[in-house]
Amino acid sequence: MSEANEPLSEREIEILRLVATGASNKEIALALSISPNTVKVHLRNIFTKIGVVSRTEATLYALKTGLVTPDLPPAAEDDTGAETLLPTIQDLNPLPEQSGFSRRTWIIITSAALLVAVVALILWFSRPAPAAVQPTTSVTLAVAPRWQTAEKLPQPHSGAAYATYSGALYLFGGQTAQGVSAATLIYSDSQGWTNGKDKPTPVAQAKAVLIGERIYLAGGSGADGNPVNVLEVYDPRADAWESRASLPNGISQYALAAYEGSLYLFGGWDGSATLDSVYRYSPTDDRWEARAALPQPLAFAAAVT
């Protein structure tokens, strides 16, 4: 195994620790509230970073680097003072040979003990039920409010794209009083709202999806109100943007979802009509391809895996 050339993110460390426990992709996804497909993408990135090709090698790496520690039973000492992890023969032998009792005596004693236990259980379950006790005081449970007020946005937005990553909320673009925004706003409970690097292309009515460690934003309505065809990808760890393969045409107001490490874009508006088109984008190939059309055109919809 080669040493890691790029440090693992907090999420990747979480996943590697769970892999070391023997958890499956579904179990890891359930524990971290992500999809199994996202777990697969993370594992590919982890394997590449630490230079392994299997879960076993990844577990050995986690042990070697101290990310996890083996959980061993406490050691005992034998008659010579040496430590051992195994019970002694005396611990395993319920009838010591030097006890002075014959096997028949032990059988009689055991049978008598079982008989006493059965009689005790019969008497216990045959006892009269206790009289009901009326409560003398009432108890009021304090229930926390379902909604809580958090820090307000720096300014009102509509039609912004959003995604979550590593416990923070990321909000991109949208319509403001000053027009279509390029802002990247980040919210966390500890810091409130902070600013990330502006999106290269200001848009509204776009969607954002997290795949692996990056957030993908496709299309949207530009500053002039017309749909754009850009695909721009944000790296939360580096606070950096990069451009990828453009959509076949400008689209806004679409539905977007991630599945098996790819983007799926449904319907939307191209500036003149509502669409029934479906496109798949592969980050590995950096390529869009058309898929089977929707039964009918749609816009302002949502898609989930």
Side-chain angles (χ1 to χ4, degrees), residues 144-200:
R146 293 180 180 272
W147 287 95
Q148 298 180 8
T149 302
E151 181 183 336
K152 292 183 179 180
L153 280 163
Q155 61 178 330
H157 281 65
S158 65
Y162 56 87
T164 59
Y165 172 78
S166 192
L169 171 66
Y170 290 78
L171 188 145
F172 306 97
Q175 185 74 40
T176 68
Q178 290 74 38
V180 176
S181 172
T184 297
L185 300 175
I186 307 166
Y187 179 83
S188 65
D189 290 334
S190 59
Q191 298 183 0
W193 288 103
T194 57
N195 292 309
K197 187 174 182 180
D198 283 355
K199 186 176 181 297

Side-chain angles (χ1 to χ4, degrees), residues 134-139:
Q134 298 298 326
T136 57
T137 59
S138 60
V139 178

